Amino acid sequence: MGVHGLTTFLRENQRILAKAIEFPSSSTVTSIVVDGWSFIYELYEESKLPWVYGGEYKAFSACVEGVVKAWMSVGLRVYFVFDGSAPELKIPTLVSRLNHSIVERSLLFFRTSETSRSTPRFLHETRMIPPLAYHACLHALREVASSSNTLEVHFADEEGDPYAVELAGRLGAFVVGNDSDFVILNSGKYAGYIQLNDMLWTTPQSMDAGSGDENGEFRTVRKAKTKKKGAAQQGIRRGLIPPEHSTDLTLSVSVYTPAALASHFKIPVTLLPLLGALVGNDFSNQSSTQRNVQNLFFERHLTLSQRISRVGSTLNGILSAASQKRKARHQVGSVMDLIDRSVHALLIRLPSTMASGEIDAIVDRIVNAALQYAIDKYDGDTFGPDGLWPSKVCALHRPETCRLPGLFSRALLLSTGNEATDDSAEGHDTRLTQLHSLYISAYRSGHLQPKLMDILNTGTFWPRLFLENPDAENVARSIGRPIREWIFAILEDAVGLPDAPEGTGDLEVGQCDTSQVDEEDEDELIDVVEEDSDDDGADLLAPLRGELQKLRAPDEGSEIPASVISQSQSHLPPRPKCVMEYVRRGTRIAPEGVTVPDISRLLVSSAFCGNSQDDWTPLPLRSASERMSLFLHVLHSNTVALEELPSGQLMCALVLRWIVRVMHLRAIEFSSKEREKEKWTRSEAGAFLAFYTSEGRSLDFRTMPAPDGSEPNAGPEATPISSRSIQLMAQVLMAIESIHHLSQILSVSERVPVRVHTLSGQTFHMFLAQKGLNCRDTLPVGLWEACTEGLGDAFAEERPVKAKKSKVHGKSIERTSVRKAVRVGAGGSQFELLADLQF
């Protein structure tokens, strides 16, 4: 993440660029801003919790609380920042990451034998982050924040990195993460960047032990393994997780600042974004252009660090030549001139050998990539916590400059521009204003997932994909899409979605044109010449930032298209909206267009009783009972038995009913053995309910005692890794996410809590391996009946257990088919041998 190779460059030049700091450093409280997703990835990786079963969320929540409390114990005030919607320029990078981290690893996993893929080494190399880790982390942070005033959780307007640095600049804080962009970005009183994996925890006992060795006359000679074990016992630990059961901790870190990096290359700090864009960052990966630019700028034999050094020396050379006033031909007249000169200087090919307009296209890409680092300058005088929250809309920006309100304002802007002034129009505007405030407040408080912001910002949706059978249909499509169609329709009716691409007006659901997804942005870039200034600290990229603000600001003179409001609000036939879903298609991530259905037609077709057009009220503003009825109606679970369940049991009942029903309908629609095998059995349903409700039996792998004769934390080897269980878990995870999103859109999430922090994926696999024996006997009263009401024919018959190879008195007993294959010998072909083995 971040600038390509910059993390390696920082590590190789740590003694020159970094400054060592210890916490607690003084009696005053020091603030850190933590990149939420970097924290989740690093902590789950470092905790060594099993991932293949779907996630050990209870143990992970305990890890989150432990690390955050340890930070607070050394005098740190902690601010977490989670990403909002991703900018459109980053879509190719996101697709590439998903292909590498999810699709390719899933393909490798399912193409490997069950024995080989169960080894610790293989599981480590194919490791994935469980999709509900965000929910578990957020719950743990809320638990800590409820009992302390030194922890806050923020949700960025869009990309989280600029927001985190801007927040740190307002607080005078450090940013903690694993993204090298944090040493490029700069704002206000930003104190610098700390890497998550570069922390060192020590205790007073460990420091005393170390000093005794230095002053003593004799030293004990230990082998390498003994030395590591002794350090761990003495309370020294490198990494994110502190030593267990320790007090009076000391945290040592290395801090990197943009000023130190710029000084190393002898360029102004304000040109670091240009350096990052020229080297390559997350925003320069546009189609195949990134690969071409790297090939044009750098020889193949150059390492990543050498590439960064080459760009830094090139910029320094151009600026040094321009500073010689006697040579007028070297003067840099504008930022665009500087970028153009840098591109020409970095080219390893003659410009005459390149196609017409190719250099201009490269310059445009560099400009767009550099603009992503733009941060508005703070014009206030108040810093620290008192300088936050100028309004309820945003912690950093005023409502008129914050980008978040615009995502919820499409329908409101259209209604404001309408000439109608009757009472119904005024009431309609009031409801839209209420929706605007409702969703902004829900997002800022963490009750509206950032994933949903992509729908409103770029018209895209990115389901959280995980390990699943690559030969089966993606669960994001089969399990999640029917629910998301309701989500799209409700949002379009309530706040309005971005316009669909041209040419999609006559397409059905799932048939939107995707030809424009990879097209280049043809917006014209304006070449702005800088004015002369005697201020050495002037922002050299200020003109580009000005143009960025013009591109971000809404065009007041432009006409708002009539399609931003659904048929429930207007009698005009609007062009249908389209949301691009990025899901797995075969062995790659690909966009699939989903036409947003009209909410009125959905309500009529589903026979919901609350579809009155006389005085239309957006669904999120209706009464709590009506919203809950619609929520259950969408999930085909509007039954008396289910409504009477306690709130803690609702989610598991809804998830099970939805999956069982979808798999049953798929088997009816396409009558085949494969579809019939997809259906759930009653024992599998009982195993799921026992897993979801058995929070006391969730395994904590950090404190779980090891069995006799085994290594510590031997949990993953205790439960078999079954392909069937993996696919069932993938369906469960997708259903939980989709149903939770729907509950947040309808503002009923408090009635249907997700309770991810109590779950253990290995527990589910363990119950499945036991064929759900006695699972139903442990369920709460009435839960099984509520889950199976009306679904009697939807379950599959119990599958017989296949006989496995066994041993009697130490001798292997071969199956009949194997002995038969041996007897065939040379009399039959090799293909007959394989057929008889029944692999």
Side-chain angles (χ1 to χ4, degrees):
M1 297 188 297
V3 179
H4 302 161
L6 185 53
T7 299
T8 303
F9 183 87
L10 295 177
R11 183 171 59 250
E12 294 176 354
N13 297 274
Q14 182 178 13
R15 296 184 62 182
I16 302 174
L17 299 176
K19 177 183 178 182
I21 295 180
E22 284 190 356
F23 301 108
S25 57
S26 64
S27 59
T28 59
V29 176
T30 304
S31 299
I32 60 172
V33 177
V34 183
D35 179 9
W37 273 107
S38 293
F39 175 82
I40 290 175
Y41 275 84
E42 181 68 23
L43 182 57
Y44 207 97
E45 174 74 20
E46 192 173 322
S47 64
K48 306 300 181 184
L49 293 172
W51 65 270
V52 69
Y53 302 109
E56 303 304 319
Y57 301 109
K58 182 175 182 179
F60 181 65
S61 296
C63 290
V64 172
E65 291 191 22
V67 172
V68 174
K69 289 180 179 179
W71 280 341
M72 295 163 60
S73 69
V74 296
L76 294 175
R77 185 180 183 92
V78 185
Y79 297 81
F80 269 81
V81 172
F82 289 96
D83 291 303
S85 59
E88 188 172 1
L89 200 61
K90 198 175 181 179
I91 288 179
T93 298
L94 297 177
V95 172
S96 176
R97 287 178 182 172
L98 287 175
N99 279 323
H100 173 69
S101 63
I102 302 295
V103 178
E104 293 177 4
R105 296 183 182 184
S106 295
L107 187 64
L108 177 62
F109 185 93
F110 277 90
R111 297 296 184 263
T112 305
S113 66
E114 292 189 5
T115 302
S116 299
R117 73 189 187 190
S118 299
T119 61
R121 179 177 179 178
F122 183 88
L123 292 175
H124 175 73
E125 293 175 349
T126 57
R127 192 174 184 86
M128 305 178 192
I129 295 298
L132 301 182
Y134 166 81
H135 297 267
C137 178
L138 187 59
H139 177 271
L141 294 177
R142 285 172 173 164
E143 286 294 312
V144 176
S146 63
S147 58
S148 174
N149 60 354
T150 57
L151 172 65
E152 294 183 14
V153 182
H154 292 252
F155 300 89
D157 306 335
E158 284 189 337
E159 183 76 6
D161 295 354
Y163 187 96
V165 172
E166 187 173 2
L167 177 61
R170 196 76 59 87
L171 297 169
F174 303 96
V175 169
V176 179
N178 276 341
D179 195 327
S180 58
D181 279 338
F182 292 128
V183 79
I184 299 293
L185 293 158
N186 198 14
S187 176
K189 296 184 178 181
Y190 176 40
Y193 163 51
I194 299 173
Q195 291 183 338
L196 281 168
N197 54 7
D198 195 25
M199 294 183 171
L200 180 65
W201 296 93
T202 56
T203 61
Q205 294 82 359
S206 63
M207 291 184 289
D208 294 341
S211 61
D213 289 339
E214 294 175 0
N215 298 329
E217 184 177 356
F218 299 98
R219 294 185 181 181
T220 303
V221 178
R222 300 185 181 93
K223 295 182 180 180
K225 293 183 179 179
T226 307
K227 189 179 297 183
K228 291 181 180 179
K229 183 177 179 181
Q233 291 177 348
Q234 292 170 5
I236 300 177
R237 182 160 186 170
R238 180 174 294 278
L240 187 58
I241 301 178
E244 296 183 15
H245 312 298
S246 299
T247 57
D248 298 329
L249 290 170
T250 300
L251 176 61
S252 303
V253 298
S254 298
V255 179
Y256 301 88
T257 63
L261 182 63
S263 176
H264 178 74
F265 292 121
K266 298 179 181 179
I267 61 175
V269 176
T270 51
L271 285 185
L272 287 178
L274 179 56
L275 180 141
L278 290 169
V279 174
N281 56 20
D282 294 343
F283 308 101
S284 60
N285 184 12
Q286 291 288 312
S287 186
S288 61
T289 304
Q290 178 194 356
R291 182 172 59 255
N292 293 337
V293 169
Q294 290 179 341
N295 292 337
L296 291 173
F297 283 176
F298 311 112
E299 299 284 356
R300 292 187 177 182
H301 63 82
L302 293 180
T303 64
L304 295 176
S305 296
Q306 289 172 339
R307 294 182 177 189
I308 295 175
S309 298
R310 183 169 186 267
V311 173
S313 61
T314 300
L315 290 174
N316 173 259
I318 295 175
L319 294 176
S320 298
S323 64
Q324 300 176 10
K325 298 182 179 181
R326 291 176 297 177
K327 299 180 179 180
R329 60 189 180 93
H330 292 296
Q331 295 300 308
V332 178
S334 68
V335 178
M336 291 299 296
D337 186 20
L338 174 61
I339 296 175
D340 186 72
R341 291 191 185 192
S342 301
V343 169
H344 280 82
L346 289 171
L347 287 174
I348 59 177
R349 292 172 49 186
L350 293 176
S352 58
T353 63
M354 303 181 66
S356 176
E358 187 173 358
I359 294 181
D360 292 338
I362 294 174
V363 171
D364 290 349
R365 292 296 172 83
I366 298 301
V367 170
N368 285 329
L371 286 175
Q372 303 306 312
Y373 293 107
I375 297 179
D376 295 336
K377 184 177 180 180
Y378 178 52
D379 55 1
D381 299 326
T382 306
F383 289 88
D386 295 338
L388 302 180
W389 296 106
S391 70
K392 295 182 179 180
V393 173
C394 183
L396 299 177
H397 313 115
R398 297 185 181 91
E400 58 271 14
T401 60
C402 182
R403 297 202 62 190
L404 183 67
L407 302 182
F408 302 102
S409 301
R410 289 184 177 89
L412 182 61
L413 289 175
L414 176 64
S415 178
T416 304
N418 196 342
E419 296 180 357
T421 58
D422 55 4
D423 294 339
S424 62
E426 292 181 0
H428 178 65
D429 292 347
T430 301
R431 288 191 290 267
L432 292 180
T433 303
Q434 292 175 352
L435 280 169
H436 183 266
S437 302
L438 173 69
Y439 279 142
I440 290 178
S441 177
Y443 177 72
R444 292 302 189 192
S445 61
H447 293 95
L448 192 65
Q449 277 215 30
K451 276 285 182 184
L452 298 171
M453 297 297 102
D454 289 314
I455 305 173
L456 302 173
N457 186 25
T458 57
T460 62
F461 187 80
W462 303 78
R464 297 200 189 280
L465 306 180
F466 191 59
L467 182 66
E468 63 173 334
N469 187 358
D471 298 324
E473 184 179 6
N474 183 219
V475 294
R477 186 188 299 110
S478 59
I479 299 295
R481 181 166 293 173
I483 300 176
R484 290 196 297 271
E485 289 177 0
W486 278 91
I487 293 175
F488 300 157
I490 295 172
L491 286 176
E492 162 65 5
D493 175 66
V495 296
L497 299 183
D499 285 329
E502 295 291 340
T504 61
D506 299 328
L507 297 178
E508 298 295 331
V509 173
Q511 297 180 342
C512 288
D513 183 17
T514 60
S515 61
Q516 300 184 9
V517 173
D518 293 330
E519 288 186 1
E520 299 180 5
D521 187 4
E522 298 178 356
D523 293 340
E524 181 181 358
L525 290 172
I526 302 175
D527 188 358
V528 180
V529 179
E530 284 190 302
E531 296 181 358
D532 294 334
S533 175
D534 295 330
D535 187 5
D536 295 336
D539 189 351
L540 300 181
L541 289 183
L544 293 183
R545 290 186 170 90
E547 292 306 316
L548 177 65
Q549 295 305 320
K550 292 181 180 179
L551 293 175
R552 286 181 173 179
D555 188 357
E556 298 180 357
S558 61
E559 181 180 356
I560 301 174
S563 60
V564 298
I565 198 164
S566 74
Q567 292 184 6
S568 60
Q569 299 174 356
S570 173
H571 297 289
L572 297 176
R575 189 181 67 187
K577 302 294 183 66
C578 178
V579 176
M580 291 293 177
E581 292 188 344
Y582 285 82
V583 297
R584 179 183 60 80
R585 185 188 297 170
T587 58
R588 65 186 180 92
I589 298 295
E592 291 187 359
V594 179
T595 301
V596 180
D598 181 75
I599 189 63
S600 297
R601 295 179 182 179
L602 268 183
L603 293 173
V604 171
S605 62
S606 62
F608 183 67
C609 59
N611 184 32
S612 175
Q613 291 289 342
D614 297 335
D615 185 17
W616 176 261
T617 300
L619 299 176
L621 292 181
R622 299 191 182 186
S623 64
S625 60
E626 190 170 359
R627 283 184 278 117
M628 192 65 191
S629 297
L630 175 63
F631 175 72
L632 298 176
H633 177 79
V634 170
L635 301 175
H636 301 275
S637 296
N638 199 359
T639 65
V640 176
L642 195 137
E643 290 181 352
E644 293 177 350
L645 289 177
S647 60
Q649 301 175 17
L650 270 178
M651 179 59 75
C652 66
L654 293 171
V655 167
L656 178 61
R657 289 181 59 87
W658 178 258
I659 297 176
V660 170
R661 180 180 180 276
V662 168
M663 294 296 105
H664 176 58
L665 294 179
R666 283 167 55 85
I668 295 176
E669 183 180 4
F670 299 98
S671 180
S672 65
K673 292 183 178 180
E674 293 300 323
R675 289 296 175 91
E676 191 66 27
K677 291 179 181 179
E678 291 181 350
K679 296 173 60 176
W680 281 45
T681 64
R682 292 181 180 271
S683 63
E684 291 170 342
F688 167 73
L689 293 178
F691 142 75
Y692 201 97
T693 57
S694 63
E695 56 185 272
R697 278 182 265 177
S698 299
L699 305 178
D700 188 342
F701 295 96
R702 293 200 307 156
T703 59
M704 186 175 63
D708 295 337
S710 64
E711 296 181 359
N713 297 344
E717 291 78 16
T719 304
I721 303 175
S722 165
S723 297
R724 169 72 177 178
S725 300
I726 289 174
Q727 192 63 20
L728 296 184
M729 190 60 173
Q731 296 172 5
V732 167
L733 295 173
M734 182 55 61
I736 290 177
E737 180 193 50
S738 302
I739 294 174
H740 184 56
H741 286 169
L742 179 63
S743 70
Q744 291 186 326
I745 292 298
L746 290 174
S747 300
V748 295
S749 57
E750 293 185 359
R751 175 71 174 89
V752 193
V754 65
R755 297 174 58 84
V756 169
H757 61 283
T758 65
L759 304 182
S760 165
Q762 186 172 351
T763 304
F764 182 41
H765 280 250
M766 180 180 65
F767 287 155
L768 289 173
Q770 298 172 354
K771 298 298 179 182
L773 297 177
N774 302 323
C775 286
R776 289 168 55 180
D777 298 338
T778 63
L779 298 180
V781 177
L783 179 58
W784 178 258
E785 291 75 15
C787 293
T788 57
E789 182 178 354
L791 297 175
D793 299 333
F795 292 98
E797 297 294 332
E798 297 295 335
R799 299 176 178 85
V801 180
K802 294 183 180 180
K804 294 184 178 180
K805 190 174 182 180
S806 59
K807 291 185 178 180
V808 177
H809 302 297
K811 296 183 179 181
S812 173
I813 300 178
E814 297 182 272
R815 294 179 298 179
T816 304
S817 58
V818 176
R819 294 197 301 268
K820 179 180 177 182
V822 174
R823 288 197 302 269
V824 172
S829 68
Q830 296 179 355
F831 297 99
E832 291 175 345
L833 287 172
L834 293 174
D836 290 333
L837 288 175
Q838 296 181 358
F839 284 158

